[in-house]
Amino acid sequence: MSHDHEQHHQHDHDGHHHPRRKSESELRADALEALLADKGLVSTDAIDAVVSYYENDVGPQNGARVIARAWVDADYKARLLANGTAAIGELGYLGEQGQTMVVVENTTALHNVIVCTLCSCYPWPVLGLPPTWYKSPPYRARVVAEPRAVLREFGLELAAETQIRVWDSTAEVRYLVLPERPAGTQGWPEEELAKLVTRDSMIGTGRALDPVDASA
Amino acid sequence: MTAIETQLADVDRALAGRAPLPRANGELVFEEPWQGRVLGMTVVALERAHIPWSEFASHLARAVERHGYDPDEPAAAAYYAAWLEAFEATLVGAGLDLR
């Protein structure tokens, strides 16, 4: 990196403490990769494959695309709610064998939230890795006993008249929440809408982003 | 699940609670490319050397603690600096000569 050369000067003048440490780690990482490649333990191609998978293929962006499609395409939404597994499969996000995906829709009258009270079953193919709190015993127990209080702790204040339904995932059935489409997004293209769909909004512990917040 | 998915699940399970991977909105956070490469390198090397993730996770939890917390330091940079230490310690522990 070009700024490596200037780091000693930066250090003396403006109190930047960290560029040097980052750079040390980077150099150390490069040296280690070269050494391990030399020993035949790693290859650049194998590392590239893993990195590209992490960067592109896992994570809630798959779920966000499903939600955005449902927001713009009423027929797709009907199929998604009727048979989640098949409709998600249409977009190419296939689950593990034998696993059924059920999509539940949030409305002003009904708010859905998912949990796995027994372990940590989670809709992997569409949401990627579960967050740590999803697997924590307090979330698993409390979201069932006192969902409104738990959602409030996530910063989600629901109207008193909104009903809350908690869906308990199993090894066979995984749930995905279809959040409400944010106001002020008429005419938005699918890929812009997908950016408003957060992981938490598909678990039910949050809402989709407001367009104003998203652009801020 | 594909092989890489299974690996990622293993990594996640081994590190959860003790030294969870830095994430935002469920996605892994890499502030700089070297951090992603270090993760990829570890996945490949541990598998080929048949070193269990639990072994690495113990080293990592200790390294994260040793590294300490500095509010000025980017979170992923701190985490992956500790990761490098732990990775080297794991390899040395498995009998690899890193000199």
Side-chain angles (χ1 to χ4, degrees), chain B residues 43-75:
Chain B
V43 167
V44 174
L46 294 195
E47 186 183 79
R48 293 207 187 153
H50 303 290
I51 301 170
W53 274 96
S54 54
E55 178 82 28
F56 172 73
S58 306
H59 282 290
L60 180 59
R62 283 196 295 273
V64 166
E65 204 170 295
R66 210 166 35 235
H67 188 86
Y69 174 72
D70 179 345
D72 291 339
E73 186 180 34

Side-chain angles (χ1 to χ4, degrees), chain A residues 6-7 14 17 31 42 82 119 125 145 173 182 185:
Chain A
E6 287 154 18
Q7 271 158 10
D14 61 15
H17 298 293
V42 302
C119 46
V173 183
T185 57

Side-chain angles (χ1 to χ4, degrees), chain A residues 101-119:
Chain A
M101 288 288 316
V102 173
V103 179
V104 289
E105 183 183 16
N106 280 352
T107 63
T108 44
L110 175 67
H111 185 88
N112 298 287
V113 58
I114 63 175
V115 66
C116 175
T117 55
L118 282 180
C119 46

Side-chain angles (χ1 to χ4, degrees), chain A residues 105-112 148 158-165 180:
Chain A
E105 183 183 16
N106 280 352
T107 63
T108 44
L110 175 67
H111 185 88
N112 298 287
R148 205 170 288 270
L158 294 173
E161 59 273 23
T162 304
Q163 198 198 330
I164 301 174
R165 194 170 290 165
E180 286 183 89

Side-chain angles (χ1 to χ4, degrees), chain A residues 2-200:
Chain A
S2 60
H3 67 238
D4 284 355
H5 303 293
E6 287 154 18
Q7 271 158 10
H8 302 291
H9 310 291
Q10 279 183 3
H11 238 266
D12 294 342
H13 296 306
D14 61 15
H16 269 230
H17 298 293
H18 301 297
R20 203 179 103 209
R21 184 190 290 177
K22 280 203 277 186
S23 174
E24 272 172 11
S25 295
E26 191 174 346
L27 292 174
R28 195 166 163 184
D30 288 349
L32 191 57
E33 183 178 337
L35 182 78
L36 295 179
D38 215 41
K39 289 182 181 294
L41 199 57
V42 302
S43 69
T44 306
D45 287 352
I47 297 174
D48 285 347
V50 176
V51 170
S52 123
Y53 179 78
Y54 289 159
E55 288 179 344
N56 303 315
D57 297 338
V58 234
Q61 62 266 47
N62 289 356
R65 284 188 205 109
V66 170
I67 301 305
R69 173 68 56 85
W71 282 345
V72 299
D73 181 341
D75 289 341
Y76 181 75
K77 179 177 160 184
R79 291 200 298 281
L80 185 66
L81 295 174
N83 184 341
T85 313
I88 290 168
E90 278 179 46
L91 298 192
Y93 310 132
L94 296 171
E96 294 159 53
Q97 243 180 356
Q99 181 182 301
T100 304
M101 288 288 316
V102 173
V103 179
V104 289
E105 183 183 16
N106 280 352
T107 63
T108 44
L110 175 67
H111 185 88
N112 298 287
V113 58
I114 63 175
V115 66
C116 175
T117 55
L118 282 180
C119 46
S120 56
C121 297
Y122 189 71
W124 253 82
V126 278
L127 291 190
L129 291 166
T132 309
W133 54 258
Y134 184 84
K135 296 180 278 191
S136 74
Y139 174 76
R140 286 154 48 194
R142 290 186 57 229
V143 77
V144 177
E146 40 173 354
R148 205 170 288 270
V150 170
L151 294 180
R152 196 173 296 126
E153 286 163 25
F154 275 95
L156 182 59
E157 192 75 51
L158 294 173
E161 59 273 23
T162 304
Q163 198 198 330
I164 301 174
R165 194 170 290 165
V166 181
W167 299 85
D168 195 357
S169 313
T170 65
E172 293 80 32
V173 183
R174 310 287 168 98
Y175 299 93
L176 180 72
V177 173
L178 170 57
E180 286 183 89
R181 180 171 175 166
T185 57
Q186 292 84 352
W188 279 39
E190 227 175 295
E191 55 273 26
E192 288 303 307
L193 286 169
K195 292 178 189 161
L196 302 178
V197 185
T198 62
R199 178 195 70 199
D200 287 5

Side-chain angles (χ1 to χ4, degrees), chain B:
Chain B
M1 294 206 283
T2 64
I4 293 180
E5 269 178 83
T6 310
Q7 286 168 343
L8 184 53
D10 289 346
V11 177
D12 202 46
R13 208 172 300 122
L15 302 183
R18 295 205 275 181
L21 293 162
R23 285 208 183 82
N25 192 24
E27 289 173 44
L28 294 172
V29 173
F30 303 115
E31 288 144 358
E32 295 183 14
W34 68 266
Q35 298 164 0
R37 288 205 76 72
V38 165
L39 172 55
M41 197 192 313
T42 309
V43 167
V44 174
L46 294 195
E47 186 183 79
R48 293 207 187 153
H50 303 290
I51 301 170
W53 274 96
S54 54
E55 178 82 28
F56 172 73
S58 306
H59 282 290
L60 180 59
R62 283 196 295 273
V64 166
E65 204 170 295
R66 210 166 35 235
H67 188 86
Y69 174 72
D70 179 345
D72 291 339
E73 186 180 34
Y79 182 86
Y80 285 106
W83 180 295
L84 262 177
E85 255 182 53
F87 183 40
E88 288 177 355
T90 307
L91 293 172
V92 169
L96 254 91
D97 184 4
L98 294 183
R99 281 163 302 159

